Amino acid sequence: MTGPSLETLAIIAYKQPITRSDIEVIRGVNVDGVLRTLEERSLVKTKGRLDAPGRPILYVTTNEFLQHFGLRSLDELPNLKEFQESDLDFVKELQKSEIINRETVNGS
């Protein structure tokens, strides 16, 4: 699973039910393709619509999500307060790697 998929999945898991636009505000990028992939893998599903203008679709995780990550319920997700900045170092390293790979491909 890609970094963007995991990030989107984590946002949905902790904030569900959540709309696509709310996910995009948190991530700062379009998530249409990522959501489609997560739905195809049955890790997320739609759970109705928000009673707001435009009636946006609400997304939630599935039982397959719980099974995939070895959870019995969402209550077993780690508390967000338990995470520290150092826990996110892998994201910084991934971003550096992607920048270096792009520069190499583009000949910069």
Side-chain angles (χ1 to χ4, degrees):
M1 193 173 301
T2 66
S5 292
L6 284 173
E7 187 175 309
T8 302
L9 191 54
I11 291 167
I12 295 168
Y14 281 98
K15 301 274 189 182
Q16 63 186 311
I18 188 169
T19 65
R20 178 189 50 78
S21 62
D22 288 338
I23 298 167
E24 289 176 345
V25 166
I26 294 168
R27 290 212 47 233
V29 296
N30 181 293
V31 295
D32 288 338
V34 173
L35 280 175
R36 190 170 29 259
T37 299
L38 292 173
E39 282 185 297
E40 288 170 359
R41 293 183 178 178
S42 299
L43 297 172
V44 300
K45 65 180 180 180
T46 60
K47 182 75 174 196
R49 293 184 173 266
L50 185 63
D51 190 17
R55 309 242 328 122
I57 295 170
L58 293 167
Y59 292 92
V60 296
T61 56
T62 63
N63 286 332
E64 286 83 357
F65 162 81
L66 294 173
Q67 291 173 349
H68 183 80
F69 290 98
L71 303 169
R72 287 177 291 215
S73 75
L74 293 173
D75 294 333
E76 291 185 352
L77 286 172
N79 188 325
L80 286 177
K81 292 178 184 175
E82 295 173 11
F83 289 101
Q84 298 176 4
E85 187 69 27
S86 61
D87 294 327
L88 301 176
D89 286 344
F90 77 95
V91 174
K92 294 174 189 168
E93 291 302 318
L94 180 63
Q95 289 170 339
K96 281 183 201 174
S97 174
E98 288 174 356
I99 290 170
I100 290 169
N101 288 340
R102 263 186 267 141
E103 289 174 351
T104 303
V105 169
N106 294 332
S108 300

